[in-house]
Amino acid sequence: LTTTLVDVKVAAPGEAWALGDNQYYHAAPLVILHYIGGAWAVVSTPIVPSSIGLYQMSCGSATDCWLVGNSTNAYHYSSGTWSAVVLPITSTYISPISIYMLNPNEGWIGLNNNYTVDNTTSVLHYSGGAWHVAGLSAASDPHRAKARPNGGCGPYVRVNAILSFASNDYYSIGDDGCMPLTQTPFFNHNGAQIGSPDNFVNGLSGVAANDIWVVGAGGSIYHWNGTNLTTTVSAPAYSNHIQMLSASDGWLGGGPYSVYPDTIYHYDGNIWSATPITEVRAFAFDSANDGWAVQESYYQQASFLYYNGSSFTATQSFSATRINAMQMLTSTSGWAAGDYFNSSDYQPLVAHYNGTAWLTTTIGGSITGTLSALSFTSPNDGWAVGNDDDYNFGHIATLVYQYSGGAWVQATLPVTDLEASAVYATQPNDVWVSGMSNNNYSSGQTEMLHWNGSSWTVTLLPVQKVTSIQMFSASEGWASSYGGPYLHYSGGSWQVVANPVGYSGYMLDLSFDSPTDGWSVGITGPQHYYPECLDYYTDVPAGNFAAQAVFYLSCHGIISGTGNHKFSPNANATRIQFAKMISLARGWPLVTPTTATFSDVPPTNPLYIFVETAYANGAISGATPATCTARGLASPCFLPNDNISRAQTAVITVRAFGWPINTTGGPHFTDVPTSNFAYGAIETCYHHGVVNGIGGGLFAPNTNVTRAQLAVILYKGLAQL
């Protein structure tokens, strides 16, 4: 199928339906699939226009189903026939988006109701053989005619999912359709709100009225127990700033790119939990029991709040001030940066905490703009960066300042018109500044500038915008980007690291406890870079058939890359590589005899220990004496650098996992007769589901195995332990 499948529903044991089409461009054909008799078949549906986008389907019984899409009709399957049913919708701005059928005689449809002023509701009810208006009216629905701070979100409600357990009783989830930073999600019972999720929600399922689960953005999982809606993962999808104090203690929320500041969340090593403090734009902690946050009132007043380890207390407020970034150096010394509105424009502003109070001052003289990031190496040496988007004059006033000798001095850069967005200093002569200049807007490249104490060097990076930098030393560091990828500084250069959620993973800030343990936040929720993941591979993207296996094995130290963060998934694997993988995968105690078992794997071989371990555990046995002699080697030999074949892999896998030989129903492959030395092992691996043929009833036993294929075989084998 050349289409996008959007929903699947089981109608009865052995029977199911699936919907598909390209909802956005309709470039792929609309399709309805029916699973019955053990196979999927395309159902001819001339009654459903090919131009509509399909959303959801629900079956009241095996012979009675409904589907909805961006149409004023619903489509009904009954007695083997599809028909169109006109819905009581009076506006072209309304379309059904979700559906749930309790039984063939009762069900509900949730609407995507955009900017209507009539009395149409957000939910339709099916009873008495027809669809009727249900729930609250457009005029009275609290989720619709609600003024939003961005001024662009009018009366709107979107019911993303709906569910029922009893007649005349339903639950629904959705939001007011505003931009993600300002959305108001809801969890309703019969049209009345009973829960307020923190994030966008779009999945609803349950087994009873007191056992319902809701899922949504940022990995949020909510549970309704009949009385309360609680969350097991509460970190918001859209976060703009993060600071990890340790692997089990951190904070996120707000930040320099936050149009609408939000709640600050605390991480306890297990989940992110919301605090009572809202409207947070920036924060910084010196330790787990000492820190500061800034609340913002109407974007024109910054209030500094002190954290003592258990609660926040307001201390000072500054009118006409915004704070975008903070850093606490000690409990008695810290800095903040942002801007001050002087009745006509914004001026760069810094604030210094001297152990008693925060003191603010504007810098840059008559220059206008805002500071968005700062980095200090000591109380008396640091940097602050930002920009003035002065597009009316065809340029950007670059704001890069150094604090030294008790004064702020504007730095002279080799790049003009730089919209500076990130800065990090490890010491006064090791400073990184990133931004995008007018010269590179069209190419989508970002400048990374490095200051060595006397001069700047400039490197162009293939990302849209660097949003945060953190360096651990002069030779190791990380950066996040608004375009999606991460950047890792190692070996004297910046290397692009793919974001696991793809290009849409716009990341706005990062904070690492060590080079291999950190978090990042952005518009797709917090992402954790795990310490046990020993490497990352730019040539094994998330969609690769072996990605899950490679990630798991790498995170458990079973496999490693081939250098420069490459795994080389399509390269042939050697016999000695598989000996290492299988030994580590099985977790056998490593064996190091003083005398080598194989003549061609001496103790000086870097992988000697793994060959001996695999041999001691019966996984490998070496080549035949005749083969050793033909190679000019003393027997026994192992031929460590030979590519490993599919047949050899099957034999070693069965031995390593200790699986009894199973040839039931064999031979399953015409090119592996019962006389083949690997017949029993191949059949056994086939029954365990770790190998398949290549098509046409063939196995290709003598074909080489790639590194990616080996990873998948090991991963599937380990899953059965």
Side-chain angles (χ1 to χ4, degrees), residues 565-590:
H565 301 293
K566 301 291 185 182
F567 182 70
S568 304
N570 299 320
N572 291 326
T574 64
R575 288 166 54 82
I576 199 168
Q577 287 173 342
F578 193 42
K580 175 186 177 182
M581 291 182 190
I582 203 72
S583 296
L584 293 173
R586 295 297 286 115
W588 294 318
L590 298 179

mmCIF file of all heavy atoms in Angstrom, residues 565-590:
data_model
loop_
_atom_site.group_PDB
_atom_site.id
_atom_site.type_symbol
_atom_site.label_atom_id
_atom_site.label_comp_id
_atom_site.label_asym_id
_atom_site.label_seq_id
_atom_site.Cartn_x
_atom_site.Cartn_y
_atom_site.Cartn_z
ATOM 1 N N HIS A 565 31.587 7.690 15.544
ATOM 2 C CA HIS A 565 30.158 7.512 15.810
ATOM 3 C C HIS A 565 29.427 6.846 14.634
ATOM 4 O O HIS A 565 28.299 7.194 14.308
ATOM 5 C CB HIS A 565 29.520 8.844 16.176
ATOM 6 C CG HIS A 565 30.151 9.473 17.378
ATOM 7 N ND1 HIS A 565 30.061 8.927 18.630
ATOM 8 C CD2 HIS A 565 30.923 10.573 17.503
ATOM 9 C CE1 HIS A 565 30.726 9.674 19.479
ATOM 10 N NE2 HIS A 565 31.259 10.675 18.824
ATOM 11 N N LYS A 566 30.110 5.891 14.020
ATOM 12 C CA LYS A 566 29.511 5.073 12.969
ATOM 13 C C LYS A 566 29.426 3.631 13.460
ATOM 14 O O LYS A 566 30.292 3.148 14.187
ATOM 15 C CB LYS A 566 30.350 5.119 11.685
ATOM 16 C CG LYS A 566 30.550 6.510 11.104
ATOM 17 C CD LYS A 566 29.262 7.080 10.545
ATOM 18 C CE LYS A 566 29.506 8.417 9.858
ATOM 19 N NZ LYS A 566 28.258 9.023 9.351
ATOM 20 N N PHE A 567 28.365 2.947 13.041
ATOM 21 C CA PHE A 567 28.218 1.530 13.355
ATOM 22 C C PHE A 567 28.512 0.652 12.152
ATOM 23 O O PHE A 567 28.824 -0.521 12.294
ATOM 24 C CB PHE A 567 26.804 1.242 13.861
ATOM 25 C CG PHE A 567 26.590 -0.193 14.259
ATOM 26 C CD1 PHE A 567 27.201 -0.703 15.391
ATOM 27 C CD2 PHE A 567 25.788 -1.028 13.495
ATOM 28 C CE1 PHE A 567 27.027 -2.035 15.758
ATOM 29 C CE2 PHE A 567 25.602 -2.354 13.855
ATOM 30 C CZ PHE A 567 26.221 -2.864 14.994
ATOM 31 N N SER A 568 28.437 1.213 10.960
ATOM 32 C CA SER A 568 28.640 0.462 9.704
ATOM 33 C C SER A 568 27.700 -0.735 9.643
ATOM 34 O O SER A 568 28.129 -1.887 9.564
ATOM 35 C CB SER A 568 30.093 0.001 9.578
ATOM 36 O OG SER A 568 30.981 1.092 9.664
ATOM 37 N N PRO A 569 26.388 -0.500 9.683
ATOM 38 C CA PRO A 569 25.427 -1.599 9.780
ATOM 39 C C PRO A 569 25.445 -2.554 8.596
ATOM 40 O O PRO A 569 25.106 -3.728 8.755
ATOM 41 C CB PRO A 569 24.082 -0.868 9.880
ATOM 42 C CG PRO A 569 24.316 0.464 9.242
ATOM 43 C CD PRO A 569 25.727 0.811 9.592
ATOM 44 N N ASN A 570 25.844 -2.065 7.420
ATOM 45 C CA ASN A 570 25.811 -2.917 6.229
ATOM 46 C C ASN A 570 27.126 -3.616 5.948
ATOM 47 O O ASN A 570 27.240 -4.362 4.970
ATOM 48 C CB ASN A 570 25.410 -2.082 5.011
ATOM 49 C CG ASN A 570 24.023 -1.473 5.178
ATOM 50 O OD1 ASN A 570 23.112 -2.122 5.697
ATOM 51 N ND2 ASN A 570 23.864 -0.219 4.769
ATOM 52 N N ALA A 571 28.130 -3.365 6.801
ATOM 53 C CA ALA A 571 29.423 -4.047 6.618
ATOM 54 C C ALA A 571 29.303 -5.495 7.061
ATOM 55 O O ALA A 571 28.538 -5.832 7.975
ATOM 56 C CB ALA A 571 30.503 -3.330 7.415
ATOM 57 N N ASN A 572 30.074 -6.370 6.422
ATOM 58 C CA ASN A 572 30.076 -7.770 6.817
ATOM 59 C C ASN A 572 30.684 -7.926 8.208
ATOM 60 O O ASN A 572 31.635 -7.224 8.566
ATOM 61 C CB ASN A 572 30.866 -8.613 5.823
ATOM 62 C CG ASN A 572 30.162 -8.715 4.486
ATOM 63 O OD1 ASN A 572 28.932 -8.738 4.427
ATOM 64 N ND2 ASN A 572 30.928 -8.780 3.401
ATOM 65 N N ALA A 573 30.131 -8.828 8.980
ATOM 66 C CA ALA A 573 30.661 -9.120 10.315
ATOM 67 C C ALA A 573 31.650 -10.273 10.210
ATOM 68 O O ALA A 573 31.510 -11.169 9.375
ATOM 69 C CB ALA A 573 29.527 -9.469 11.264
ATOM 70 N N THR A 574 32.648 -10.251 11.079
ATOM 71 C CA THR A 574 33.656 -11.315 11.079
ATOM 72 C C THR A 574 33.365 -12.311 12.193
ATOM 73 O O THR A 574 32.588 -12.053 13.117
ATOM 74 C CB THR A 574 35.061 -10.730 11.266
ATOM 75 O OG1 THR A 574 35.138 -10.115 12.563
ATOM 76 C CG2 THR A 574 35.363 -9.682 10.201
ATOM 77 N N ARG A 575 34.064 -13.443 12.113
ATOM 78 C CA ARG A 575 33.871 -14.503 13.106
ATOM 79 C C ARG A 575 34.295 -14.043 14.501
ATOM 80 O O ARG A 575 33.637 -14.335 15.492
ATOM 81 C CB ARG A 575 34.651 -15.744 12.681
ATOM 82 C CG ARG A 575 34.036 -16.451 11.487
ATOM 83 C CD ARG A 575 34.985 -17.468 10.861
ATOM 84 N NE ARG A 575 35.505 -18.437 11.819
ATOM 85 C CZ ARG A 575 34.863 -19.538 12.230
ATOM 86 N NH1 ARG A 575 33.631 -19.779 11.759
ATOM 87 N NH2 ARG A 575 35.408 -20.372 13.079
ATOM 88 N N ILE A 576 35.372 -13.283 14.561
ATOM 89 C CA ILE A 576 35.848 -12.858 15.870
ATOM 90 C C ILE A 576 34.948 -11.771 16.459
ATOM 91 O O ILE A 576 34.766 -11.697 17.675
ATOM 92 C CB ILE A 576 37.324 -12.383 15.786
ATOM 93 C CG1 ILE A 576 37.941 -12.391 17.194
ATOM 94 C CG2 ILE A 576 37.436 -11.008 15.139
ATOM 95 C CD1 ILE A 576 39.448 -12.222 17.195
ATOM 96 N N GLN A 577 34.337 -10.936 15.605
ATOM 97 C CA GLN A 577 33.382 -9.941 16.102
ATOM 98 C C GLN A 577 32.168 -10.621 16.736
ATOM 99 O O GLN A 577 31.678 -10.189 17.784
ATOM 100 C CB GLN A 577 32.940 -9.021 14.966
ATOM 101 C CG GLN A 577 33.992 -8.023 14.510
ATOM 102 C CD GLN A 577 33.565 -7.248 13.281
ATOM 103 O OE1 GLN A 577 32.649 -7.660 12.554
ATOM 104 N NE2 GLN A 577 34.227 -6.126 13.026
ATOM 105 N N PHE A 578 31.699 -11.692 16.102
ATOM 106 C CA PHE A 578 30.544 -12.379 16.661
ATOM 107 C C PHE A 578 30.914 -13.100 17.952
ATOM 108 O O PHE A 578 30.097 -13.197 18.879
ATOM 109 C CB PHE A 578 29.961 -13.364 15.650
ATOM 110 C CG PHE A 578 28.589 -13.868 16.033
ATOM 111 C CD1 PHE A 578 27.633 -13.005 16.539
ATOM 112 C CD2 PHE A 578 28.250 -15.200 15.894
ATOM 113 C CE1 PHE A 578 26.363 -13.456 16.894
ATOM 114 C CE2 PHE A 578 26.990 -15.662 16.243
ATOM 115 C CZ PHE A 578 26.046 -14.790 16.746
ATOM 116 N N ALA A 579 32.141 -13.602 18.052
ATOM 117 C CA ALA A 579 32.584 -14.233 19.296
ATOM 118 C C ALA A 579 32.534 -13.233 20.448
ATOM 119 O O ALA A 579 32.113 -13.560 21.567
ATOM 120 C CB ALA A 579 33.999 -14.785 19.135
ATOM 121 N N LYS A 580 32.942 -11.994 20.162
ATOM 122 C CA LYS A 580 32.877 -10.961 21.189
ATOM 123 C C LYS A 580 31.427 -10.639 21.545
ATOM 124 O O LYS A 580 31.062 -10.574 22.728
ATOM 125 C CB LYS A 580 33.587 -9.696 20.715
ATOM 126 C CG LYS A 580 33.469 -8.538 21.684
ATOM 127 C CD LYS A 580 34.050 -7.251 21.119
ATOM 128 C CE LYS A 580 33.839 -6.086 22.090
ATOM 129 N NZ LYS A 580 34.348 -4.801 21.543
ATOM 130 N N MET A 581 30.593 -10.435 20.531
ATOM 131 C CA MET A 581 29.200 -10.082 20.776
ATOM 132 C C MET A 581 28.488 -11.166 21.583
ATOM 133 O O MET A 581 27.768 -10.869 22.548
ATOM 134 C CB MET A 581 28.467 -9.877 19.450
ATOM 135 C CG MET A 581 28.885 -8.661 18.660
ATOM 136 S SD MET A 581 27.885 -8.536 17.140
ATOM 137 C CE MET A 581 28.769 -7.252 16.262
ATOM 138 N N ILE A 582 28.669 -12.406 21.205
ATOM 139 C CA ILE A 582 27.936 -13.485 21.874
ATOM 140 C C ILE A 582 28.418 -13.666 23.298
ATOM 141 O O ILE A 582 27.637 -13.963 24.208
ATOM 142 C CB ILE A 582 28.033 -14.794 21.056
ATOM 143 C CG1 ILE A 582 26.857 -15.729 21.389
ATOM 144 C CG2 ILE A 582 29.356 -15.492 21.274
ATOM 145 C CD1 ILE A 582 25.541 -15.277 20.843
ATOM 146 N N SER A 583 29.707 -13.451 23.541
ATOM 147 C CA SER A 583 30.240 -13.581 24.905
ATOM 148 C C SER A 583 29.680 -12.496 25.807
ATOM 149 O O SER A 583 29.281 -12.765 26.954
ATOM 150 C CB SER A 583 31.771 -13.509 24.885
ATOM 151 O OG SER A 583 32.318 -14.592 24.171
ATOM 152 N N LEU A 584 29.644 -11.262 25.309
ATOM 153 C CA LEU A 584 29.109 -10.165 26.102
ATOM 154 C C LEU A 584 27.601 -10.283 26.273
ATOM 155 O O LEU A 584 27.055 -9.961 27.333
ATOM 156 C CB LEU A 584 29.474 -8.827 25.449
ATOM 157 C CG LEU A 584 30.961 -8.472 25.443
ATOM 158 C CD1 LEU A 584 31.203 -7.205 24.629
ATOM 159 C CD2 LEU A 584 31.483 -8.301 26.859
ATOM 160 N N ALA A 585 26.909 -10.725 25.208
ATOM 161 C CA ALA A 585 25.461 -10.863 25.277
ATOM 162 C C ALA A 585 25.044 -11.899 26.324
ATOM 163 O O ALA A 585 24.083 -11.695 27.074
ATOM 164 C CB ALA A 585 24.897 -11.231 23.915
ATOM 165 N N ARG A 586 25.772 -12.990 26.389
ATOM 166 C CA ARG A 586 25.419 -14.046 27.341
ATOM 167 C C ARG A 586 25.932 -13.760 28.741
ATOM 168 O O ARG A 586 25.519 -14.391 29.719
ATOM 169 C CB ARG A 586 25.961 -15.393 26.850
ATOM 170 C CG ARG A 586 25.331 -15.875 25.566
ATOM 171 C CD ARG A 586 23.829 -16.129 25.729
ATOM 172 N NE ARG A 586 23.561 -17.349 26.484
ATOM 173 C CZ ARG A 586 22.984 -17.421 27.672
ATOM 174 N NH1 ARG A 586 22.583 -16.315 28.275
ATOM 175 N NH2 ARG A 586 22.787 -18.565 28.279
ATOM 176 N N GLY A 587 26.829 -12.790 28.866
ATOM 177 C CA GLY A 587 27.316 -12.418 30.192
ATOM 178 C C GLY A 587 28.184 -13.467 30.847
ATOM 179 O O GLY A 587 28.263 -13.540 32.085
ATOM 180 N N TRP A 588 28.861 -14.263 30.046
ATOM 181 C CA TRP A 588 29.725 -15.300 30.617
ATOM 182 C C TRP A 588 30.940 -14.686 31.321
ATOM 183 O O TRP A 588 31.471 -13.664 30.865
ATOM 184 C CB TRP A 588 30.229 -16.237 29.516
ATOM 185 C CG TRP A 588 29.155 -17.061 28.864
ATOM 186 C CD1 TRP A 588 28.111 -17.692 29.471
ATOM 187 C CD2 TRP A 588 29.040 -17.352 27.472
ATOM 188 N NE1 TRP A 588 27.347 -18.358 28.547
ATOM 189 C CE2 TRP A 588 27.899 -18.173 27.305
ATOM 190 C CE3 TRP A 588 29.786 -17.013 26.337
ATOM 191 C CZ2 TRP A 588 27.490 -18.652 26.068
ATOM 192 C CZ3 TRP A 588 29.386 -17.496 25.109
ATOM 193 C CH2 TRP A 588 28.251 -18.301 24.970
ATOM 194 N N PRO A 589 31.410 -15.277 32.410
ATOM 195 C CA PRO A 589 32.678 -14.837 33.003
ATOM 196 C C PRO A 589 33.803 -14.987 31.967
ATOM 197 O O PRO A 589 33.906 -16.020 31.295
ATOM 198 C CB PRO A 589 32.873 -15.792 34.184
ATOM 199 C CG PRO A 589 31.486 -16.289 34.507
ATOM 200 C CD PRO A 589 30.769 -16.345 33.192
ATOM 201 N N LEU A 590 34.606 -13.956 31.824
ATOM 202 C CA LEU A 590 35.633 -13.968 30.791
ATOM 203 C C LEU A 590 36.769 -14.922 31.154
ATOM 204 O O LEU A 590 37.203 -14.995 32.311
ATOM 205 C CB LEU A 590 36.161 -12.552 30.573
ATOM 206 C CG LEU A 590 35.110 -11.541 30.083
ATOM 207 C CD1 LEU A 590 35.718 -10.161 29.926
ATOM 208 C CD2 LEU A 590 34.491 -12.003 28.765
#
